[in-house]
Amino acid sequence: MNDFLLAQMVAAERLPNAHESKAAVLLELKSSLAGASGEQRTATLLKRELDLPGETIFLNDVHIPYKDGTAQIDLLLIHEQMVCVLEVKNMVGEFYFDSVNFQFHRIIDGRREGMRNPEAQLHRAVRAVSNFLGVPVHGVIVLASRSGKVVEAPKQYPIVSLDYLPFHLERLALGSKIFDVTALASKVEQLPQQNLSRHWFARHRIDFNALRPGVTCPDCRILALDWQERKWLCRICGFHSRDAHKVTLQEYAVLFGESLDTQLAYRLLGVENKYTLYRLLKTAAPQSNVRGKRRIVEDRDLLRGYFGKIYR
C-alpha cells in the first residue's frame, strides 16, 4: 500500500455519507484496490516463476519525468538483458482496442464502457523510461484477471495473460549482458516521491473540517474511542487500547503531512485535557523546533496493518 492508496482509504473511512464526494471516493478506492491487487499478484508471480540468469529488480508504482510532468509506471522490470515496463490491468469483461482512433472500450454485463487506452498509457510510459534511462525499453500490457477477454488486440504492444507473462518475458531476453542493473535501478530509486494526494483532495473538496475526527475503534469502526483511565475505550464493543491514537496520527500524516498544529491535535484525537494530550503525543508526535507545532513520527506499517485487516 503506497501513501496515495492509504490516503484514499482514510478518506473513505472518515468522510461522512452526506459529503458530496463520498460516492466518488468509494468508487475510486475500489478501482485503486483492484489495480494494487493486480500489481501485487504480478510481482509475486514473476519473483517466483521468472527464470532469468543474474539479478532482476522489480520497481512498482514509480513516476518517471516526462515532458512537463511524469509518467506513472505500474511495474518496472530491470534485468541485465532487458528493461520492460508492465502496464497491469486487473479488469473483467471483453476488451476492444481501436488502433485506428487509439481508443479503448470494454463490454461488461452487456454495457459498453469507454476507458483510458492502456496501449496509449503504456506507450507514454515506455518513452518516458527509455528517455530517462537512455536505453531501449520493452512494454507489455498484462491481464491480471482471468475474467478478462481480448476481442480486438492492440497493435503496437503485446497483451498477455498473467499466467503466460513469465514465459513471454523470458523470450524477450536478449541472451547477453548489456545493462548495469544496479546503476539503472539506482537512478530510478533516487527520483523524488510524488505527492498525488493534494490534487486528489482538492478535486474532491476534502479538507480537515470535512473529515470525522477522533480515534476510530478498529473493531466496530462506528464511534470514536473515549480516553478513560489512561486507555482508549469503545462504548459499543468494549475494545480498549493504550496506543490506538497512533493510527489516527498516521492517518493525519498521510493526508496532510507530518507537521501537526498542537491546537488541531485536540480536535484530531478528541481530548480536552492538555496533560492528556501531551502524554499521548510525547513519543508519537514530539514537539518540533517551531512553537505550537508537533512532528508526527512516520510509521506507515501501523496504517497498513490497520487497513490490511479491512481490505483483505
Side-chain angles (χ1 to χ4, degrees), residues 217 220 222-223 233-239:
C217 174
C220 66
I222 297 176
L223 290 179
L233 179 65
C234 179
R235 300 191 303 273
I236 294 180
C237 70
F239 169 85

Side-chain angles (χ1 to χ4, degrees), residues 227 230 232 242 245-246 249 260-266 269-288 290-295:
W227 179 257
R230 297 198 173 191
W232 294 104
R242 291 189 180 275
H245 61 284
K246 293 182 179 179
L249 292 171
L260 173 64
D261 187 277
T262 302
Q263 292 302 314
L264 198 64
Y266 286 103
L269 300 184
V271 298
E272 298 179 356
N273 185 283
K274 70 176 182 179
Y275 298 108
T276 297
L277 181 71
Y278 289 174
R279 186 163 54 248
L280 293 173
L281 298 181
K282 183 176 180 180
T283 57
Q287 291 180 327
S288 69
V290 180
R291 182 178 176 83
K293 295 286 185 179
R294 297 272 178 163
R295 189 74 181 176

Side-chain angles (χ1 to χ4, degrees), residues 242-258:
R242 291 189 180 275
D243 58 4
H245 61 284
K246 293 182 179 179
V247 170
T248 303
L249 292 171
Q250 293 303 311
E251 289 180 322
Y252 180 91
V254 81
L255 292 177
F256 306 112
E258 277 74 24

Side-chain angles (χ1 to χ4, degrees), residues 73 75-77 83-87 122 125-126 129 137-140:
I73 314 296
L75 190 62
L76 179 62
L77 181 154
V83 176
C84 187
V85 173
L86 305 179
E87 179 70 25
L122 178 59
V126 167
V129 175
V137 174
H138 295 282
V140 180

